[in-house]
Amino acid sequence: MEHEPSASQATPARAALFAWGANSYGQLGLGHKEDVLVPQQLNDFCKPVCVRRITGGGGHSAVVTDGGSLFVCGLNKDGQLGLGHMEDVLYFTLCKSLLGCPIQQVACGWDFTIILTENGQVLSCGSNSFGQLGVPHGPRRCVIPQAIELLREKVVGIAAGLRHALAATASGIVFQWGTGLASSGRRWCPGQTLPLFLTAKEPSRVTGLENSKAICVIAGSDHSASLTDAGELYVWGSNKHGQLASQAAFLPVPQKIEAHCFQNEKITAVWSGWTHLVAQTETGKVFTWGRADYGQLGRTLASQEDWKPEKQNSPLPCSRSQKSTPSPLHCLTGATAVSCGSEHNLAVIDGTCHSWGWNEHGMCGDGSGADAWAPKPVPALRSSAGLLVGCGAGHSLALCQLPALPSPDASEDAKSQEATDREQLEGKITGTVYPEPT
């Protein structure tokens, strides 16, 4: 076993940001556009110990610091980086237009970005082709973050899907905008008039949540979710892959997932990939459900049939299969951080960064391109304590505490002791006469 420096010998903890996975647009912030199969440490662009949030979208990444600064990089063809231009950016770059406006949270959609300020205002930038910026009469794209004026209440949480976005207000009301869910809604609910919030290009109150208070909103590619202060989870939108734990193919209005699905425990946190969900309960248990064919649920199902995607013409998803039932993933119990990409996931368990799911571009960080069917430690990060994780659609980011280094004083002491030892040894060799053995 290697010697570890004691606390008195160690320097203050050092943190570093690591990036890996798909990198076609420079979304890893490493200065190039080649995929990265194992975590690479980023050159300092801010003090890593001050990183508050990490997230990513279709091809871009965003980091929020404790001071409320926003750093972005990657795909920018629609201005989703909010930097005032539409050129891809290969290094994390400060969003200067937001200086003096501290940022609380960022949510990255496929080609747009939603930004929540510390005073509860919501801004947006990027593509507006589906009304996902919440500015109904705005241009098709916006290259500088602009306020969503129609959200007049203080917002405490935001989420971005493929082509829609959500906000939860301080009073517990949920708003949705962007038409991303409308096409599948019309397909699966023919003849029905869809609720306004599924078709609106401006913030529209989500109906059906009047008797609950939302504290958090979540978005997948084609679905939405809301977590209440009572620890209940409401879901709506597409259920094609069983991600809503329902018998219906599409839920036009929110439906609560019954508590027995989570062993009658309150839910404290929820994350969503494009077509799968992850939830943690009050005792630390972690449940997964939804699409499973890339291993993104992190568990083996009883039948290999359950791994196969549903047929396009099937009138209903295979909602009775195991994958549509939230099931505990015991190895994740007590996870302190979780993030979902489109089809892969990251989690911090006992200080170790784990990954599983889709791995075609190396987003699991194990050096291979093979999908990972169960959560496993990311080999290159085993010696670094995981603090925060964040995923884009096909890339991964992690803030880790690096192993402590010996302090300069300890090093000097060691050198001094080494010199003394050498002198004594030399004395034994040159200056001391030992009796001959008898």
Side-chain angles (χ1 to χ4, degrees):
M1 177 176 167
E2 293 184 3
H3 169 72
E4 295 180 0
S6 66
S8 60
Q9 294 176 312
T11 57
R14 301 173 301 138
L17 195 59
F18 292 84
W20 64 99
N23 194 35
S24 301
Y25 309 102
Q27 60 262 50
L28 299 185
L30 295 168
H32 61 80
K33 292 187 176 184
E34 300 296 322
D35 288 357
V36 173
L37 302 186
V38 294
Q40 298 293 313
Q41 186 174 333
L42 287 154
N43 294 326
D44 291 343
F45 62 89
C46 68
K47 293 181 179 179
V49 289
C50 295
V51 170
R52 176 193 294 169
R53 292 178 183 269
I54 310 167
T55 191
H60 63 300
S61 304
V63 170
V64 180
T65 69
D66 279 340
S69 295
L70 173 63
F71 290 83
V72 291
C73 66
L75 181 61
N76 195 33
K77 74 179 184 66
D78 290 296
Q80 54 262 57
L81 301 186
L83 298 176
H85 61 79
M86 293 185 292
E87 299 297 320
D88 294 351
V89 175
L90 305 186
Y91 296 96
F92 276 100
T93 301
L94 178 65
C95 190
K96 293 181 179 179
S97 66
L98 297 176
L99 286 175
C101 180
I103 303 307
Q104 175 66 32
Q105 183 188 353
V106 175
C108 297
W110 177 249
D111 51 11
F112 67 102
T113 305
I114 306 295
I115 301 163
L116 174 62
T117 69
E118 287 188 354
N119 65 9
Q121 187 179 37
V122 182
L123 313 172
S124 62
C125 58
S127 172
N128 197 34
S129 298
F130 295 85
Q132 60 267 58
L133 298 189
V135 185
H137 305 296
R140 287 184 64 84
R141 62 175 59 89
C142 178
V143 299
I144 295 178
Q146 59 183 337
I148 301 180
E149 302 289 356
L150 292 171
L151 273 175
R152 297 186 179 92
E153 294 188 53
K154 181 179 180 179
V155 170
V156 295
I158 54 174
L162 206 63
R163 298 185 179 99
H164 74 290
L166 299 147
T169 70
S171 61
I173 297 172
V174 175
F175 289 88
Q176 181 171 307
W177 62 95
T179 60
L181 277 60
S183 59
S184 56
R186 293 189 187 100
R187 177 185 176 192
W188 294 113
C189 305
Q192 289 187 37
T193 300
L194 295 177
L196 180 60
F197 65 82
L198 292 181
T199 59
K201 295 185 177 182
E202 59 191 45
S204 177
R205 181 171 180 170
V206 176
T207 53
L209 296 172
E210 291 77 14
N211 297 322
S212 64
K213 180 180 179 180
I215 58 171
C216 170
V217 283
I218 306 98
S221 66
D222 209 17
H223 65 265
S224 301
S226 170
L227 179 61
T228 74
D229 61 351
E232 298 174 330
L233 182 61
Y234 286 82
V235 291
W236 61 97
S238 173
N239 190 38
K240 181 179 179 182
H241 299 280
Q243 64 264 46
L244 305 189
S246 168
Q247 293 291 325
F250 188 92
L251 293 176
V253 293
Q255 177 175 296
K256 184 173 74 174
I257 298 181
E258 294 302 326
H260 68 78
C261 292
F262 305 105
Q263 300 179 359
N264 293 311
E265 294 186 13
K266 291 182 179 180
I267 300 169
T268 55
V270 184
W271 303 269
S272 182
W274 280 359
T275 47
H276 72 286
L277 283 93
V278 180
Q280 189 168 36
T281 67
E282 56 193 335
T283 65
K285 294 174 185 172
V286 175
F287 293 75
T288 65
W289 69 101
R291 191 172 182 179
D293 51 333
Y294 292 101
Q296 58 267 58
L297 299 189
R299 53 188 169 91
T300 303
L301 302 184
S303 167
Q304 286 302 312
E305 284 295 310
D306 287 328
W307 295 115
K308 296 180 180 178
E310 289 78 15
K311 295 178 181 178
Q312 289 295 319
N313 298 322
S314 174
L316 284 174
C318 300
S319 55
R320 288 181 298 277
S321 70
Q322 286 177 293
K323 63 184 178 177
S324 65
T325 302
S327 296
L329 198 54
H330 299 296
C331 62
L332 293 183
T333 299
T336 55
V338 177
S339 183
C340 299
S342 62
E343 311 285 4
H344 78 288
N345 314 267
L346 298 176
V348 177
I349 310 151
D350 295 327
T352 301
C353 185
H354 289 63
S355 64
W356 70 100
W358 184 39
N359 195 27
E360 181 180 354
H361 301 280
M363 53 279 272
C364 288
D366 61 2
S368 80
D371 296 341
W373 296 84
K376 292 181 181 176
V378 179
L381 300 179
R382 275 184 176 273
S383 62
S384 302
L387 301 172
L388 288 174
V389 288
C391 295
H395 63 287
S396 303
L397 296 156
L399 179 70
C400 296
Q401 182 176 307
L402 299 175
L405 293 175
S407 69
D409 289 344
S411 297
E412 289 301 319
D413 291 344
K415 288 179 182 177
S416 176
Q417 183 62 48
E418 185 181 338
T420 301
D421 292 344
R422 185 183 301 112
E423 288 173 5
Q424 291 175 348
L425 180 62
E426 288 172 349
K428 289 176 182 177
I429 295 172
T430 62
T432 305
V433 177
Y434 292 93
E436 292 288 333
T438 57

